[in-house]
Amino acid sequence: MARQLFELCGADPARLFSPYCWRTRMALAHKGLEHETLPWRFTEKDRIAFAGSDKVPVLVDGDRVVADSWAIAEYLEDTYPDAPSLFGGAGGRALCRFLGHWTDSVVQAGIVGFVVADIATHLGPEDHAYFIASREKRFGKPLAEVVAGREERVAEFRRALYPLRTTLKERPFLGGPAPTYADYTVFGAFQWARCVSNFTLLEPDDVVHAWRARMLDLFGGMAREVPAQEAA
Amino acid sequence: MARQLFELCGADPARLFSPYCWRTRMALAHKGLEHETLPWRFTEKDRIAFAGSDKVPVLVDGDRVVADSWAIAEYLEDTYPDAPSLFGGAGGRALCRFLGHWTDSVVQAGIVGFVVADIATHLGPEDHAYFIASREKRFGKPLAEVVAGREERVAEFRRALYPLRTTLKERPFLGGPAPTYADYTVFGAFQWARCVSNFTLLEPDDVVHAWRARMLDLFGGMAREVPAQEAA
């Protein structure tokens, strides 16, 4: 039975844009594990109910079903110990959780305020209606108002990347000389933006910009191949 | 030759308050390595010039001299590999750097705006003059103005601890079931505040508050023993 991954997509099934699914896509490639993508849309919750989840990624690996990107990362590390390590030991595994929470609260929380309206433009009619309603409820205002002033606000976002930037001045990847799951975690946020928006998040002379390019080059340029809005 | 550590102190040589020295103190205790404290003050730069540094911590370990808390941590891990690991593997070592830069830019950058004026009250005359002049130059205003409004600003500081708080809801320490150098890095910031100020940084029901108490309990309550302003 082929390894399958339910991944969020837009109206175009090739536009895979979930930051959490990208964490998993990169982790599978890191481990050298092939998978078949099962394109999934926001309103297809019934298709993943068997996994006890209403969100993707959901991995089906033979007779194992694993939902949630972090649970999948731990599953892959523990199930395929002879493949390259995602964490580089117990200490790295523990700190990858901190990186995940930092990414959620700083990187993704920043980016959503720039690109949430752009996301809607890539969705089919049913998902579009769901997305607009659920996000306007979450933000308490129209999405056009959420993203208003993004050209001014992006400077504060860039400043908040200080720990990432300073670490990347010292080494090519967060994980050291080679990427680990920490890199995939943060990269997922940038790849999410890249797939849905042409808003410029990073200045070209930022070491984070150069790191993102290195991440796009990994695994034969896998992340470059998805439809993207190139300026991000 | 005994292992010696130059550590920043106030007028009272027992008031060891540098966040970076606390990273090293905890790392030495983690490794089970005893050391003699050489109390050092801001204006005694000539005493550590032999180490090629004008800042502490400076470790003298037999014929080895190591300055800079991160360099010391790596030195200890590599020199005493049979003692408990500070990093828990290569992945943890790499991510500890990110934790250090996050601590510098979020935790310590926040705390200094609350306690910098309190620090001055613990210094002898010569250090006091140096500290006031150098910090007022750095901030561009009197220290009383730097800390003004701290009761209101602390809410934003607490919100910025989200990645730390969320990680600690999942496990007792950043490093997992037991502390690693990541914990010592962040703890150093809180211990710095505790030694110089009674300003309340954390609410009592915050999991970060409980984690700080666990950190204070480590190594026979080593960090509790220094003179402190208890409310922090």
Side-chain angles (χ1 to χ4, degrees):
Chain A
M1 185 172 167
R3 193 177 292 110
Q4 297 177 309
L5 185 67
F6 286 86
E7 300 185 69
L8 180 67
C9 66
D12 177 356
R15 191 177 303 277
L16 302 167
F17 67 92
S18 157
Y20 299 100
C21 290
W22 273 101
R23 297 182 190 184
T24 300
R25 280 183 79 78
M26 300 295 276
L28 284 163
H30 181 102
K31 284 283 189 188
L33 300 171
E34 296 191 355
H35 78 279
E36 175 193 357
T37 295
L38 300 181
W40 178 91
R41 297 183 176 88
F42 284 119
T43 47
E44 298 180 319
K45 301 201 186 294
D46 55 321
R47 282 182 62 211
I48 55 172
F50 74 97
S53 177
D54 63 354
K55 295 186 186 71
V56 289
V58 168
L59 177 71
V60 180
D61 190 17
D63 57 0
R64 287 292 303 269
V65 174
V66 191
D68 178 83
S69 59
W70 178 251
I72 294 171
E74 292 207 292
Y75 165 80
L76 294 175
E77 187 76 343
D78 296 336
T79 306
Y80 302 98
D82 296 332
S85 173
L86 284 170
F87 302 127
R93 182 188 296 223
L95 291 187
C96 273
R97 280 306 268 170
F98 181 93
L99 263 290
H101 297 313
W102 180 79
T103 300
D104 291 348
S105 63
V106 174
V107 189
Q108 292 180 193
I111 289 174
V112 76
F114 307 137
V115 309
V116 68
D118 296 323
I119 293 172
T121 66
H122 297 288
L123 305 177
E126 195 178 355
D127 269 23
H128 188 274
Y130 162 81
F131 187 80
I132 295 286
S134 62
R135 268 50 176 185
E136 290 194 347
K137 183 178 178 187
R138 182 184 302 174
F139 289 101
K141 54 189 172 186
L143 299 189
E145 287 182 28
V146 174
V147 302
R150 63 183 183 177
E151 290 77 9
E152 291 70 44
R153 289 185 288 108
V154 73
E156 183 184 346
F157 169 77
R158 290 171 183 159
R159 279 194 296 275
L161 301 180
Y162 175 92
L164 175 64
R165 182 175 300 116
T166 309
T167 306
L168 292 172
K169 284 179 180 172
E170 300 168 347
R171 62 197 70 201
F173 297 100
L174 285 173
T180 67
Y181 193 71
D183 293 274
Y184 306 140
T185 299
V186 183
F187 173 73
F190 287 100
Q191 177 70 350
W192 169 47
R194 179 178 171 275
C195 292
V196 298
S197 176
N198 64 5
F199 181 65
T200 300
L201 292 172
L202 300 170
E203 293 181 296
D205 62 350
D206 190 340
V207 295
V208 180
H209 191 285
W211 164 82
R212 186 181 54 181
R214 287 194 293 278
M215 297 299 293
L216 288 165
D217 289 340
L218 291 174
F219 315 125
M222 180 179 81
R224 287 196 194 279
E225 289 170 11
V226 299
Q229 308 295 311
E230 277 301 331
Chain B
M1 185 173 167
R3 193 176 294 110
Q4 297 176 312
L5 185 67
F6 286 86
E7 299 184 70
L8 180 67
C9 65
D12 176 357
R15 191 178 303 278
L16 303 167
F17 67 92
S18 157
Y20 298 101
C21 290
W22 273 101
R23 297 182 191 185
T24 299
R25 280 182 80 78
M26 301 295 277
L28 284 163
H30 181 103
K31 284 283 188 189
L33 299 170
E34 295 191 354
H35 77 278
E36 175 193 357
T37 295
L38 301 180
W40 178 90
R41 297 183 175 88
F42 283 118
T43 49
E44 298 181 318
K45 301 201 186 293
D46 55 321
R47 282 181 62 211
I48 54 171
F50 74 96
S53 177
D54 64 353
K55 295 185 185 71
V56 290
V58 167
L59 176 71
V60 181
D61 190 17
D63 58 359
R64 287 292 303 270
V65 174
V66 191
D68 179 82
S69 58
W70 178 250
I72 293 171
E74 292 207 293
Y75 165 79
L76 294 176
E77 186 77 343
D78 296 337
T79 306
Y80 302 98
D82 296 332
S85 173
L86 284 170
F87 303 127
R93 183 187 296 223
L95 292 188
C96 274
R97 280 305 268 172
F98 181 93
L99 263 290
H101 298 312
W102 180 79
T103 300
D104 291 348
S105 62
V106 175
V107 189
Q108 292 179 192
I111 289 175
V112 75
F114 307 137
V115 309
V116 67
D118 296 324
I119 294 172
T121 66
H122 297 289
L123 306 177
E126 194 177 356
D127 268 24
H128 188 273
Y130 161 83
F131 188 80
I132 296 286
S134 63
R135 268 49 176 185
E136 289 194 347
K137 182 178 178 188
R138 182 185 300 175
F139 288 101
K141 53 188 172 186
L143 299 189
E145 288 183 26
V146 175
V147 302
R150 64 184 181 175
E151 290 78 8
E152 290 70 44
R153 288 185 288 108
V154 74
E156 184 184 347
F157 169 77
R158 290 171 184 160
R159 279 194 296 275
L161 301 180
Y162 175 91
L164 174 64
R165 181 175 302 116
T166 309
T167 306
L168 293 173
K169 284 179 181 172
E170 301 168 346
R171 60 197 71 201
F173 297 100
L174 285 174
T180 67
Y181 193 72
D183 293 273
Y184 307 140
T185 299
V186 182
F187 173 72
F190 286 100
Q191 177 72 348
W192 169 47
R194 179 177 169 276
C195 291
V196 297
S197 176
N198 64 5
F199 181 66
T200 301
L201 291 172
L202 299 171
E203 294 182 295
D205 62 350
D206 189 339
V207 295
V208 180
H209 190 286
W211 164 81
R212 186 181 55 182
R214 287 193 293 278
M215 297 300 293
L216 288 165
D217 289 339
L218 292 174
F219 315 125
M222 180 179 82
R224 287 196 194 278
E225 290 171 10
V226 299
Q229 309 293 312
E230 277 301 330

